[in-house]
Amino acid sequence: MSATAHAGPVPAGPAPVGMGPHLLSVADLGRQGIAEVLDVAEAFAEVEQRAIPKVPTLRGKVVATVFFEESTRTRLSFETAAKRLSADVLSLAVAQSSVAKGESLRDTVQTVEALGIDAIVLRHRCAGAPAQVARWVQRARVLNAGDGWHEHPTQALVDCFTVRQVRAEAVGATPAALGTSCFEGLRVLIVGDVRHSRVARSQILAYQAVGAEVAVCGPASLLPAGLEDWGVSVAPDFDEALGWADVVSLLRLQAERGSGAFVPSLREYTAGWGLTAERVRRLAPGAVVTHPGPMVRGVEIASAVADLPSVVATRQVANGVAVRMAVLFLLLGEPSAGVVGSGGA
Ligand code: CP
């Protein structure tokens, strides 16, 4: 695609972001690929400001969302993104599908592909399921929308996009002008249930790829073994680390993955690791707090804190559409066709 949005630089053509035909992991992207996704997403963020926030870029393409786990943000933002690109969208209601009759994952995705689907956006409780599906499909693109404890690549891209946007505003620059330089030396603190968090794994890969320094903290029981191999440090004192960080990424306790058994009680977890009103005063000036959602108010974050301007969870959700438009475009766009558009589709 030769993208010519109304404003802002847009790379020409579906970009060689290095991710191959699928988006399974942040590791598929690297620094250049992440930079490219963020810049293309900026162009689509501009499209979202139009009276008719829709472009013909993926007209004729079909995107299917296949979610074997619950979702609000990821599913709706992928579907909104695909619709804004003029793709047709199918959503498989897994619980009401033939999966309930015993159909296998392989037969399910091959059935979906046989309908002429161009991209499968897959969330699955099993780590590696999207990679396995990518080996089974013939021509469809596979996008990992979260697989078990493994990865959630588009969430990490949304987080980078949002952090860059905030830093650009702070210095009066455009995000694209900052490129990835704004991440150099950025201090990112990831807090909580790192053990069970696919978001944490993708964030670590993404932030490190663009030059940030990443530390984690949380109860020892919720920090995975082998962290030293991930290139992150472990902050022993949460209260102290809050003053160190430029970005604090809060994680939800993953109750559905048994996290409750790893802490004595929710009250003790909050006392030790919750971002309370007292703790928020320890944040460094200008620090930003991210949360991938869903937030559990009163556990990892106090309800009043969740509504502070420095907590950008709602902004992350809004940015999710532009970022997912970007990855869909980069995977499905035709080199010769379409533009980001000069009007409604
Ligand atoms: N952040 C995230 O993946 O949220 P959902 O589970 O609502 O999609």
Side-chain angles (χ1 to χ4, degrees), residues 38-39 42 160-168 175 179 182-183:
L38 301 190
D39 287 346
E42 287 296 340
C160 288
F161 183 86
T162 305
V163 167
R164 184 172 80 162
Q165 198 177 56
V166 171
R167 291 183 79 78
C182 64
F183 297 108

Side-chain angles (χ1 to χ4, degrees), residues 54-62 82-88 118 332-334 337-338 343-345:
K54 192 164 181 174
V55 288
T57 312
L58 295 187
R59 187 181 283 160
K61 303 285 186 187
V62 186
K83 287 176 181 176
R84 290 195 171 162
L85 292 166
S86 301
D88 294 315
D118 297 289
L332 293 177
E334 298 292 341

Side-chain angles (χ1 to χ4, degrees), residues 189-234:
L189 179 69
I190 301 175
V191 185
D193 186 2
V194 180
R195 174 186 285 265
H196 300 113
S197 175
R198 55 194 174 211
V199 171
R201 282 162 180 74
S202 288
Q203 283 179 331
I204 289 168
L205 288 170
Y207 282 126
Q208 288 182 336
V210 291
E213 183 183 348
V214 182
V216 299
C217 74
S221 57
L222 289 174
L223 298 181
L227 261 177
E228 59 279 3
D229 298 331
W230 298 15
V232 301
S233 55
V234 178

Side-chain angles (χ1 to χ4, degrees), residues 124-274:
H124 203 281
R125 65 187 172 282
C126 295
Q132 180 60 66
V133 167
R135 289 190 282 272
W136 287 331
V137 294
Q138 299 296 313
R139 50 170 288 281
R141 309 305 199 200
V142 179
L143 294 95
N144 181 359
D147 59 331
W149 308 359
H150 176 226
E151 274 213 52
H152 192 347
T154 58
Q155 181 65 52
L157 293 167
V158 168
D159 298 347
C160 288
F161 183 86
T162 305
V163 167
R164 184 172 80 162
Q165 198 177 56
V166 171
R167 291 183 79 78
E169 286 169 5
V171 297
T174 65
L178 292 186
T180 53
S181 64
C182 64
F183 297 108
E184 283 296 342
L186 188 79
R187 295 166 166 180
V188 179
L189 179 69
I190 301 175
V191 185
D193 186 2
V194 180
R195 174 186 285 265
H196 300 113
S197 175
R198 55 194 174 211
V199 171
R201 282 162 180 74
S202 288
Q203 283 179 331
I204 289 168
L205 288 170
Y207 282 126
Q208 288 182 336
V210 291
E213 183 183 348
V214 182
V216 299
C217 74
S221 57
L222 289 174
L223 298 181
L227 261 177
E228 59 279 3
D229 298 331
W230 298 15
V232 301
S233 55
V234 178
D237 185 324
F238 180 33
D239 291 312
E240 198 174 297
L242 281 171
W244 167 86
D246 301 304
V247 177
V248 177
S249 168
L250 299 179
L251 302 173
R252 179 177 62 87
L253 271 179
Q254 306 262 309
E256 71 276 26
R257 304 190 207 286
S259 298
F262 290 79
V263 294
S265 67
L266 289 183
R267 182 186 297 211
E268 286 181 63
Y269 178 81
T270 302
W273 308 102

Side-chain angles (χ1 to χ4, degrees), residues 67 70-75 123 145 152 155 198-199 292-294:
F67 277 50
E70 301 78 7
S71 170
T72 299
R73 279 147 282 270
T74 312
R75 183 180 193 137
R123 171 168 288 189
H152 192 347
Q155 181 65 52
R198 55 194 174 211
V199 171

